[in-house]
Amino acid sequence: MINAIVGGNWGDEGKGKITDLLAKDADIIIRFQGGANAGHTIINEYGKFALHLLPSGVFRKNAINIIGQGVALNIAQLFKELDNLLERGVPHPNIKISDRAQIVMSYHVLFDKLEEERLGKNSFGSTKSGIAPFYADKALKIGIQVCEIYDDKILMDRLTKVCELKNATIDSLYPGQTKLNPLEIFDELVSYRDRLKPMLENITYFINDAIAQGKNILLEGQLGALKDTDNGIYPYVTSSSPLAGFGCVGASIPPKSIEKIITVVKAYSSAVGAGAFVSEIFGQEAETLRKLGGDCGEYGATTGRPRRMGYFDCVATRYGCMLQGTTDVAFSLIDVLSYMDEIPVCVAYEIDGKITTKFPNSVELSKAKPVIEKLKGFKTNILGIQNYHDLPIEAKNYIKFIEDKIGFPITIISTGPKRDDVIIL
């Protein structure tokens, strides 16, 4: 069976925990897109971890963890994460990396930072991890695949041409910035060869054989549907597709083979970066939710930035679930809401005086105002509850209300940050 775990909103929905939980039944866990620009927080018997590139199955002893060709591979970050696991007593995970994966270069990170600084108040709120420049080079066909670092001539020729282009950009847009030296970049890349070589694999054939053998495969998405380049809140999106369907490209999965798509959504809303956020709240109301949210506050796992906070958005979530092809919804962080007397929910948008439950295009979205309904709060500590029948009736009513509004079945309810703080329906 092939299952996908993906995000239904703006990211930060709690996918890492759900992946870590379901990885116990998986033979193979695959990261198929994105890079080190977002993190998955996991709490288990080894401690608390924020993973950025490594698949969330690295804590499972017998699992094979794959970084697919759709991933933006920052090699230095990869080794940093792996070394952190080993230093903290986690057994060395079985990691395979697609030999077609492309490398996030040091100049990608540099140009990401320089451009955000140049844009100033008009910046996109990038994590400055090099993601947009990386995917731009990939589309321009001047990226470097990891297999190419093992051929001196190919690598040096490519770097010479790329640095010529990049240095011209530095001259025109970022005067005063030190020029790129292809020899220095060459030396950096070849220094990774020996450690990286045992992990490289022709993933297409590996996955094809695994499917033929009936292996259980878990696809792990990064960010959420509303950050999709084509279907999200453009231009405030990521530079790859966080949709389950992209697993077919980024991990060599045949489209017909994905049987279950588990879309993770929060019991409230949060977002990092710029862009439309219709149900956003501000001031003390937002600060209270931010401090109580997540496992120790709503702050970015990659940047540490405080997240923007909001009420649950039924319009955005239904749209995100539609895009993902959702079969099951994992409803996370409901325990956070136990302090509220009433729980506001955004059930529709008002745009130019008209009410709609359809998620609009970017122009209309910028004018949207939330239509709010309020449900009675449950005012009870439900942290760690594992049985649905033990939930207070108000919490059950809230879950049912959300399920009816988004139109997709909630089959997993997360009641806390730990692996076992969960209800399976």
Side-chain angles (χ1 to χ4, degrees):
M1 173 176 273
I2 300 179
N3 296 334
I5 298 175
V6 288
N9 301 127
W10 299 265
D12 305 313
E13 300 95 347
K15 297 179 293 298
K17 171 188 168 170
I18 302 301
T19 305
D20 177 52
L21 173 71
L22 299 184
K24 70 179 185 299
D25 298 319
D27 301 301
I28 299 169
I29 299 94
I30 310 176
R31 274 287 309 275
F32 62 88
Q33 50 82 221
N37 55 319
H40 288 172
T41 301
I42 293 173
I43 301 174
N44 55 29
E45 67 271 26
Y46 297 106
K48 179 180 176 181
F49 299 85
L51 301 181
H52 302 273
L53 275 172
L54 291 174
S56 296
V58 290
F59 303 101
R60 299 293 185 175
K61 183 178 179 181
N62 298 317
I64 297 172
N65 295 272
I66 292 178
I67 295 175
Q69 55 267 25
V71 172
L73 177 64
N74 185 319
I75 303 175
Q77 176 67 31
L78 173 74
F79 289 152
K80 179 181 177 181
E81 283 187 35
L82 180 56
D83 289 341
N84 179 55
L85 295 190
L86 300 179
E87 289 168 3
R88 296 177 62 185
V90 179
H92 200 298
N94 187 346
I95 300 170
K96 295 184 182 295
I97 301 169
S98 172
D99 56 9
R100 295 176 184 268
Q102 292 196 19
I103 302 170
V104 176
M105 308 293 289
S106 55
Y107 52 75
H108 290 142
V109 178
L110 172 66
F111 276 87
D112 200 355
K113 292 177 180 177
L114 290 174
E115 185 60 8
E116 285 288 281
E117 291 169 4
R118 188 184 73 84
L119 291 172
K121 65 179 182 179
N122 296 316
S123 69
F124 293 100
S126 167
T127 60
K128 301 177 183 178
S129 303
I131 300 303
F134 165 86
Y135 281 109
D137 279 4
K138 193 173 189 179
L140 287 168
K141 297 178 283 292
I142 58 172
I144 295 176
Q145 292 186 332
V146 69
C147 61
E148 294 175 321
I149 72 172
Y150 294 91
D151 187 298
D152 286 357
K153 185 178 186 307
I154 289 176
L155 181 59
M156 196 64 218
D157 286 349
R158 183 69 60 83
L159 288 174
T160 300
K161 293 175 183 177
V162 170
C163 287
E164 182 180 356
L165 176 63
K166 300 296 182 185
N167 285 333
T169 303
I170 287 174
D171 283 338
S172 61
L173 285 179
Y174 315 114
Q177 175 63 41
T178 304
K179 299 285 189 68
L180 303 180
N181 184 329
L183 281 172
E184 291 180 0
I185 300 171
F186 177 91
D187 289 342
E188 176 193 356
L189 292 176
V190 299
S191 71
Y192 298 132
R193 283 176 174 172
D194 291 345
R195 190 175 184 187
L196 203 59
K197 184 68 173 177
M199 302 181 192
L200 298 187
E201 185 83 35
N202 187 321
I203 293 302
T204 301
Y205 285 94
F206 183 86
I207 293 298
N208 183 75
D209 291 344
I211 293 172
Q213 295 165 17
K215 299 290 187 181
N216 287 328
I217 300 173
L218 197 59
L219 293 171
E220 179 181 14
Q222 179 218 51
L223 291 169
L226 300 179
K227 291 290 188 176
D228 178 62
T229 313
D230 295 298
N231 301 286
I233 55 171
Y234 191 85
Y236 302 99
V237 293
T238 191
S239 300
S240 65
S241 176
L243 303 184
F246 190 73
C248 304
V249 178
S252 302
I253 300 291
K256 65 180 181 180
S257 298
I258 302 177
E259 300 175 48
K260 183 181 286 189
I261 298 173
I262 301 163
T263 302
V264 186
V265 305
K266 268 180 178 171
Y268 53 92
S269 296
S270 72
V272 170
F277 187 16
V278 177
S279 69
E280 186 171 12
I281 56 178
F282 303 92
Q284 188 57 51
E285 188 178 14
E287 185 60 21
T288 299
L289 182 55
R290 183 179 298 112
K291 287 182 177 180
L292 294 174
D295 63 278
C296 58
E298 288 285 357
Y299 301 91
T302 298
T303 64
R305 288 183 295 182
R307 293 172 181 148
R308 299 163 66 190
M309 306 307 298
Y311 304 132
F312 188 90
D313 188 329
C314 296
V315 179
T317 303
R318 182 170 183 266
Y319 177 71
C321 289
M322 287 169 55
L323 291 176
Q324 293 289 12
T326 302
T327 61
D328 297 74
V329 171
F331 197 53
S332 67
L333 293 150
I334 187 173
D335 55 289
V336 171
L337 302 181
S338 62
Y339 72 96
M340 291 185 173
D341 293 315
E342 292 183 314
I343 307 175
V345 180
C346 174
V347 297
Y349 295 166
E350 180 186 339
I351 303 173
D352 293 331
K354 297 181 180 179
I355 304 298
T356 182
T357 57
K358 292 184 178 180
F359 195 78
N361 64 44
S362 297
V363 174
E364 294 176 339
L365 187 63
S366 66
K367 299 183 287 184
K369 299 176 182 178
V371 177
I372 300 296
E373 287 190 28
K374 294 183 178 180
L375 281 73
K376 185 178 180 181
F378 41 93
K379 299 291 288 183
T380 302
N381 184 2
I382 62 170
L383 182 67
I385 286 180
Q386 299 177 342
N387 190 319
Y388 180 78
H389 298 293
D390 293 336
L391 291 175
I393 186 63
E394 294 84 1
K396 294 177 183 177
N397 290 343
Y398 184 68
I399 294 166
K400 184 65 167 59
F401 181 86
I402 297 300
E403 186 177 59
D404 289 343
K405 289 294 183 182
I406 64 176
F408 295 89
I410 294 174
T411 59
I412 300 174
I413 303 166
S414 176
T415 57
K418 297 180 181 178
R419 178 188 286 169
D420 296 327
D421 295 341
V422 67
I423 298 169
I424 307 293
L425 300 177

